[in-house]
Each structure stands twice: as structure tokens, then as C-alpha cells.
Amino acid sequence: MLFDVFIQTFAGKNAFQTFLSICLLILCLYPVIGALFWFFGSLSYQFLKKGKKEVNFVELPIDKQPMITIMIPAHNEEIMIEETIDYLATELNYSNYELLVINDGSTDNTLTILQDLQNKYKKLRVINVLKNQGKAHGFNIGTHFAKGEYILSNDADTIPERDALMKYMNYFINEVDVNTAAVTANMDVQNRTSLLGKSQTVEFSSIVGVIKRSQTAVNDSMYSYSGANTMYKKQFLIDVGGFRQDRSTEDISIAWDHLMFGVTPRFAPNILFHMNVPETLSQLYKQRKRWAQGGTEVWLTNFSKFILHPLKYKYVYSMFLDTTSSIIWSFFFFITSFIFLAMMTFFVLTGDVERLWHGVAMAFIFVTFELISGIFQLLAALILDSEGEKLRYLIFAPLYMLLFWMVNPLTIVTTFIPALKAYLGKDNHSGAWVSPTRKSLKKG
């Protein structure tokens, strides 16, 4: 039956019409194809490349431990900063490290709390930036003051596991790791009390547990680091000119810069860190708008390089094609959805029950295929991530697929013009951040 539909679709068409029809068919099936690609990609990583990509954990003696700077950007973090510093200063299984906090124009009690903590911990240093100029700006300043050969970015609401530093260094210390630019860890949701928090547990498992494994399995590429907790080799930060201050997301842009420079990002699923996630729809939407704009900005920044020099960047060309397809599909999704709703409304008003039923049935079939492929992706994610511990959150998968799959294309479409303005330099994007909404990890 499917073969007959395919023949009828392309019969009697010229080459251009056939090409256009194939493109439209691919766009229609993009979510299904994408979900299945991530599913099989994660299986490829797990069963074919896992041994090559992951390292065995080795405890480094104190005299063999490279110096690490844990860099913490902070803007109005009075709720979280003390418990985060207390943990990082006392609980980590590593000796040769320092804490460097960049207080980026805080207007609350963050600086006072940090000054008190400096009297408590000798390994804590604070750089006070008078004017809020954003995370990337703070990182670039901190990079030049960092004593460590390696820099761990750690958000003020992020708690890494006790062995995190030791595990991170195992990805840098061997001869085969000379080209490793950064290692990004496996994020876990700390605040799972709300329905939205539980749903994001499923989502982050899907992103980290499947997509990053698949990207690594294909060609050692990675679209984005986990901004909340990633270990960078300082020299490779300097080599690419540091973090871009004119971009919405420093973690996405630095990952692309490293790939275009020719060094290797790595994913470490065996290193866990815990972070807070948005607990309201408005906070979630603001976060995803920033992510979407940042992704589009780096795509625009590197577009001409891929088009003009496809052979030079052949090893990461799949990343460019996937991002391009994602952006095009987001527009296609909303345009076709509008057309579909308009046609269904017309059929209702004209009483054309047969065509109305046909449209509803076709939409149902498409959504069913999309849900089935999505379930495969999420099942693989939840099974592979944390050895299946998060399978109990599978019940929240439908909310993830219905809500988050709608939010992602919406944010890409609504932020495309701002991203284009930022790329063209017509948007005075200072990188300054708005005070985050935090919730104490100890108090709930």
C-alpha cells in the first residue's frame, strides 16, 4: 500500500517536481526519521563504540593531579551560592583545585556572602565585576585569572558528584587525549517535585542519553556542551578566542568553535551533576528561547564555511545538515499546521464530512508514527542513562512529547529574526543576564 502511494505521488512529474515532492516528504517525516536516527545512534554508541569512547576510572595520587580551576559565574545568587561553595570546597574527591567565582554585577547579597566564605575557605577567590555583562564575559575574565590548566564551568545551582573532578581528568591525561578540547558531563534534574520537573527529567535523559551518544558515535561531534558543568582545557579556550560575548548561549557557540577549529569535544555519561530546571511554563519558554536563538546564531555564523568549504569540514558536516533541517522543519511545521487547520475549518463550514474525516485520519496516523518513534527514542534514553534508574519517569513521556516537541520549533521560529539581527551586528546584544529564579537544594 505504501509503495502504491509513493508511485502515485511521483508519477507524471518532472525532475523538479519530483525533487520538491521528495523534500516535502522528508520534511513531513523529519520528526520520525530524527527520533529513529537518535535511537539507532545511541545503540551504535552503546554496543559498537562505548569501549572506545568511555574511559576506565583511575584514582590519581595527589602529586599526579593537574591543577583545576572551578569557575562559578554568579549574578544575584544569594539563595544558592553558599551551599554550592560549601559543597565544592569540602565534598569533592580531589585535592589540587581552586574555586574562582565571577560575581557579575550582583545587586543582592551575593558579594557579601562570598566575602564571608573567603574567610572560611582559602581555595576560594572572587572576581567582582561591577557591571553585569553576562556569563561569557565573566568566563573570559576568569580564564586569564585561572591558575588551573583545566577549567570546570559550574553554575551556581549545580552540584557535581563527589568523584567528578577525578573522572573528568581521566578523559585528559592519556596520550590519545591530546586533542580533547572539553568534556561535558551527564546532567540530572535535581528539583523533580513538580510535574514540569519530572517531565524535564525525561527530556534531559533523551537529550543527553541519546542525542549526545549518537553525535559521538557518528563522528565525535557535539552541538553543545552542558553549560552548567563542563571541563575545558584552558589552552583550547584561548586558541579559539574564548567565549563569544555577542551570542546568546556561550556553551553552544564554544562547542561549534572547537569543532570548526579541529579539536574534539567529548561526552562523559559516567560523570553526573545535579541542576535546577525551570518549574513554570514562562521560565521554561524563556530558557528555550535563549537556547533556540543561540543555536540559530552559531548556525548563521558558520553557514558560509560549510557551504564554501564542504570538504574541509566534512567530518562535522552532519551537524550542519541536521541543524539546517531542524530550522527548516520548524518553519515547515507551523506553515503546514496553519494550512491544515484552515482546511479543516473550511471543511467544517462547508459540511464536507468525508474530506474532514480523511484529514483527521491522516493526521492521526502521522501523530501515531511520531509517538511510536518517540517512544523508541525515550525508551533507549531511559534504559541507557543511569542504567535504567529513570525508567519510572516514562509515564511522563507523553507530556514531554506533546509539550516540548511543540515548544522547540516554536522557539526556533520566534527567535530567528533576533538571531539574524545578532549575527548581522544590528542587535545590541550585551550578553547581560536577568536574575535567575533559584530554589535551595537543601530546602526543597
Side-chain angles (χ1 to χ4, degrees):
M1 181 177 177
L2 287 176
F3 180 75
D4 292 337
V5 172
F6 183 84
I7 293 298
Q8 293 174 11
T9 301
F10 300 114
K13 295 185 177 182
N14 59 37
F16 176 76
Q17 290 175 321
T18 301
F19 173 76
L20 184 61
S21 298
I22 292 174
C23 290
L24 290 175
L25 181 62
I26 292 173
L27 283 172
C28 288
L29 296 177
Y30 176 78
V32 177
I33 296 171
L36 293 177
F37 177 82
W38 300 130
F39 170 72
F40 287 110
S42 64
L43 294 183
S44 173
Y45 177 93
Q46 185 72 13
F47 298 109
L48 299 179
K49 291 193 175 184
K50 181 178 179 181
K52 298 178 182 179
K53 301 302 177 186
E54 294 186 4
V55 298
N56 294 321
F57 176 55
V58 177
E59 189 91 14
L60 298 174
I62 294 177
D63 60 336
K64 299 291 185 181
Q65 295 177 5
M67 179 65 178
I68 297 173
T69 295
I70 302 179
M71 197 178 299
I72 308 163
H75 175 70
N76 292 351
E77 302 284 4
E78 62 181 4
I79 294 177
M80 287 290 304
I81 195 66
E82 184 171 2
E83 60 190 77
T84 300
I85 296 297
D86 283 340
Y87 177 88
L88 294 174
T90 60
E91 298 296 328
L92 297 181
N93 178 28
Y94 203 85
S95 299
N96 193 21
Y97 72 98
E98 64 165 347
L99 302 175
L100 182 61
V101 179
I102 315 298
N103 179 47
D104 193 9
S106 295
T107 55
D108 62 359
N109 293 320
T110 298
L111 181 59
T112 302
I113 295 171
L114 289 171
Q115 290 171 338
D116 291 338
L117 288 170
Q118 280 187 288
N119 297 325
K120 186 177 180 180
Y121 301 116
K122 294 182 179 180
K123 62 180 62 179
L124 172 62
R125 292 191 292 148
V126 177
I127 297 176
N128 187 36
V129 180
L130 297 179
K131 182 180 178 181
N132 170 16
Q133 298 186 61
K135 191 173 180 180
H137 176 264
F139 269 138
N140 288 337
I141 291 177
T143 298
H144 293 284
F145 285 91
K147 297 178 181 177
E149 180 184 354
Y150 299 91
I151 295 176
L152 175 68
S153 67
N154 193 99
D155 281 357
D157 65 340
T158 298
I159 301 295
E161 64 169 297
R162 290 189 71 255
D163 289 326
L165 297 186
M166 196 71 73
K167 289 182 177 180
Y168 269 125
M169 289 317 307
N170 276 258
Y171 283 84
F172 288 101
I173 58 177
N174 300 306
E175 291 183 2
V176 295
D177 303 322
V178 66
N179 205 44
T180 299
V183 178
T184 195
N186 195 346
M187 65 183 75
D188 192 20
V189 175
Q190 175 73 25
N191 51 329
R192 304 180 189 176
T193 54
S194 67
L195 181 62
L196 210 53
K198 290 180 172 66
S199 301
Q200 287 175 88
T201 298
V202 175
E203 183 196 22
F204 281 123
S205 289
S206 177
I207 291 174
V208 176
V210 169
I211 296 180
K212 289 191 183 298
R213 281 181 172 91
S214 299
Q215 292 168 354
T216 302
V218 172
N219 56 5
D220 287 334
S221 66
M222 195 175 299
Y223 299 16
S224 172
Y225 297 128
S226 299
N229 205 259
T230 292
M231 178 82 78
Y232 299 94
K233 189 172 184 177
K234 184 167 71 174
Q235 185 57 52
F236 284 136
L237 286 178
I238 296 172
D239 288 342
V240 297
F243 294 90
R244 292 179 183 259
Q245 296 174 205
D246 58 347
R247 295 293 179 259
S248 300
T249 49
E250 84 293 334
D251 47 0
I252 298 176
S253 62
I254 193 66
W256 280 62
D257 286 343
H258 275 157
L259 283 169
M260 303 303 282
F261 186 70
V263 290
T264 305
R266 299 186 69 181
F267 173 52
N270 62 326
I271 305 176
L272 289 177
F273 68 91
H274 308 279
M275 59 178 287
N276 273 342
V277 295
E279 294 188 308
T280 67
L281 289 176
S282 61
Q283 293 173 9
L284 177 69
Y285 184 66
K286 289 178 182 178
Q287 180 195 64
R288 299 312 162 90
K289 281 184 67 177
R290 184 175 62 84
W291 289 2
Q293 181 171 337
T296 302
E297 286 171 359
V298 297
W299 176 76
L300 290 168
T301 300
N302 295 285
F303 185 87
S304 60
K305 296 178 183 178
F306 282 108
I307 296 300
L308 298 176
H309 308 284
L311 294 180
K312 181 178 180 180
Y313 300 108
K314 59 182 179 295
Y315 294 110
V316 291
Y317 212 85
S318 60
M319 178 180 72
F320 169 73
L321 292 176
D322 180 63
T323 305
T324 303
S325 300
S326 179
I327 293 172
I328 294 174
W329 177 81
S330 296
F331 283 92
F332 174 82
F333 172 75
F334 279 98
I335 292 172
T336 54
S337 295
F338 176 79
I339 294 174
F340 175 78
L341 291 175
M343 291 176 62
M344 294 299 102
T345 302
F346 176 76
F347 295 151
V348 170
L349 295 176
T350 57
D352 193 338
V353 178
E354 182 179 353
R355 297 184 72 180
L356 176 65
W357 170 250
H358 181 265
V360 172
M362 292 299 294
F364 178 79
I365 292 172
F366 171 76
V367 172
T368 300
F369 274 104
E370 188 172 344
L371 287 174
I372 291 173
S373 61
I375 287 293
F376 273 109
Q377 176 184 341
L378 291 173
L379 271 175
L382 295 173
I383 291 172
L384 296 178
D385 199 35
S386 302
E387 298 181 348
E389 182 209 347
K390 297 177 185 175
L391 265 174
R392 63 182 182 274
Y393 293 103
L394 183 63
I395 190 175
F396 301 101
L399 178 62
Y400 159 71
M401 287 185 284
L402 292 175
L403 177 62
F404 292 95
W405 282 6
M406 292 287 289
V407 169
N408 289 339
L410 176 63
T411 54
I412 289 176
V413 170
T414 56
T415 61
F416 188 84
I417 297 300
L420 183 60
K421 288 181 178 179
Y423 165 68
L424 296 174
K426 295 183 178 181
D427 182 15
N428 295 323
H429 176 69
S430 63
W433 46 11
V434 180
S435 300
T437 302
R438 302 299 195 200
K439 183 178 180 181
S440 171
L441 297 181
K442 292 182 179 179
K443 299 177 183 178

